[in-house]
Amino acid sequence: GGLVHGDLHPMNLLLDPASSLVTLLDYELSVPWSPADPWTGEIFWGLWDFVPPEQLSPVGTLTPASDTFAAGALLYCMLTGKPPFHVPLDRRQAGGWEAVREGCLEQRTEPIELGLVPEAWRDLLGRALDPSPTRRFGSAASMAAALGRCGSEP
């Protein structure tokens, strides 16, 4: 068992400059999770640029793969200086939530541009940001292990 945070994005991370430790904040939207009893319900929340496709639906299932998608979006943002997905403000204002949902879903079916990011990182991000939860990292531990391997490669 455990929790799925469901709202990972830069504003929910606090860096302590003295220790370089990062604290995850805002568990208000987190949900309990277990493989035997996955959480399903109304989940249309989160910062649009970082939410996985399954979270862009009025009803869906959140799993640890939902958080590994958001963690991949955070890593992409740290490596490139911008989030991997973005719905322009004019589209948000013109169509509300449905326009945002459509814009996000459209982008999440397209390959992401990684340019000069090293191959090991591209592979990790490709898996973390896969539109299908079953093809993503299934846990934070498996993603952390892959990150450790990226850190040891040029």
Side-chain angles (χ1 to χ4, degrees), residues 15-127:
L15 174 64
D16 176 1
S19 66
S20 296
L21 292 176
V22 176
T23 302
L24 181 57
L25 307 172
D26 192 3
Y27 285 83
E28 181 181 346
L29 300 176
S30 64
V31 295
W33 182 85
S34 77
D37 186 23
W39 188 90
T40 300
E42 294 183 25
I43 57 171
F44 195 59
W45 67 67
L47 191 61
W48 302 316
D49 297 341
F50 295 89
V51 298
E54 64 271 18
Q55 204 165 324
L56 292 166
S57 162
V59 177
T61 300
L62 291 183
T63 68
S66 305
D67 281 349
T68 62
F69 182 98
L74 282 164
L75 285 172
Y76 179 98
C77 191
M78 287 188 277
L79 289 167
T80 66
K82 61 182 182 175
F85 311 105
H86 180 70
V87 178
L89 183 58
D90 61 340
R91 185 166 181 178
R92 289 186 230 171
Q93 291 173 334
W97 280 100
E98 192 56 35
V100 169
R101 180 181 181 283
E102 288 173 12
C104 289
L105 289 173
E106 286 168 12
Q107 292 177 43
R108 282 155 178 75
T109 60
E110 300 169 5
I112 55 173
E113 181 57 46
L114 291 169
L116 300 175
V117 174
E119 185 176 354
W121 287 93
R122 286 195 307 268
D123 293 345
L124 179 135
L125 289 169
R127 183 172 175 194

Side-chain angles (χ1 to χ4, degrees), residues 9 84 127 137:
H9 57 77
R127 183 172 175 194
F137 296 99

